[in-house]
Amino acid sequence: MELEEKIRELESEIKEKDGRIRELELKLAECLGRVDELRSEKSELQEEVNRLHVMKLDLKLRNLQELEDENNRLKHRIEITKGLLDDARERLEVLEGVVDEFLKQGLTGRLRGREPEGLIYYRKRFGD
């Protein structure tokens, strides 16, 4: 009888171990499922990070392009303004010369109505 009792104990122990194995297999299946979920979630998050990174780069590029456009507009304005200032400076220099010529012109030149050379140059150059 001792042998049968030992066999029953061993069978009982085997049943317990089988039950424990089933529990562990279920936990393993749950863990594997969770790992798959986490992998999927990680993949989605990585895609979102990549998308946001691309959006950030696109925004930086757009801002850079806007700054470059504004810089080009300002350069153009500066060139135009510089040209106008250079033209005005030249006109002033020529007119100062004309005034000096008028001041140095004698009475006879004034009576004859002679125009100073600077005034003739000014009218040809600037069309006034």
Side-chain angles (χ1 to χ4, degrees):
M1 179 98 169
E2 221 173 89
L3 189 57
E4 286 181 24
E5 200 174 298
K6 186 71 172 167
I7 291 174
R8 276 186 287 228
E9 281 179 23
L10 289 173
E11 286 176 347
S12 172
E13 196 176 313
I14 288 174
K15 285 182 184 179
E16 284 178 29
K17 302 263 181 194
D18 282 344
R20 182 72 178 136
I21 288 173
R22 273 192 236 71
E23 287 176 19
L24 291 173
E25 285 175 343
L26 285 174
K27 283 185 179 181
L28 177 62
E30 287 176 21
C31 288
L32 289 175
R34 183 68 182 136
V35 166
D36 287 341
E37 288 175 18
L38 290 173
R39 282 183 183 154
S40 175
E41 188 176 327
K42 179 188 174 206
S43 176
E44 290 171 6
L45 288 173
Q46 186 61 47
E47 287 176 13
E48 183 67 13
V49 165
N50 290 342
R51 188 180 68 78
L52 290 173
H53 185 67
V54 167
M55 287 175 61
K56 184 178 176 181
L57 290 175
D58 187 45
L59 181 62
K60 282 182 179 181
L61 182 62
R62 197 173 316 132
N63 289 342
L64 181 64
Q65 186 64 47
E66 287 174 6
L67 286 173
E68 193 173 289
D69 291 346
E70 181 64 19
N71 186 39
N72 289 339
R73 280 192 292 276
L74 289 174
K75 279 182 181 179
H76 182 68
R77 268 193 218 145
I78 288 170
E79 288 173 9
I80 290 172
T81 303
K82 184 181 179 311
L84 293 172
L85 287 173
D86 289 345
D87 188 47
R89 185 179 300 115
E90 184 183 355
R91 283 176 181 247
L92 284 174
E93 289 171 358
V94 170
L95 286 174
E96 285 175 352
V98 170
V99 169
D100 284 343
E101 288 178 25
F102 268 121
L103 291 174
K104 292 177 184 176
Q105 187 178 37
L107 182 60
T108 56
R110 287 186 190 165
L111 292 175
R112 289 185 189 164
R114 282 190 64 206
E115 293 182 340
E117 292 294 320
L119 182 59
I120 295 168
Y121 170 78
Y122 179 83
R123 286 185 177 152
K124 284 183 183 178
R125 171 73 174 91
F126 299 107
D128 290 346

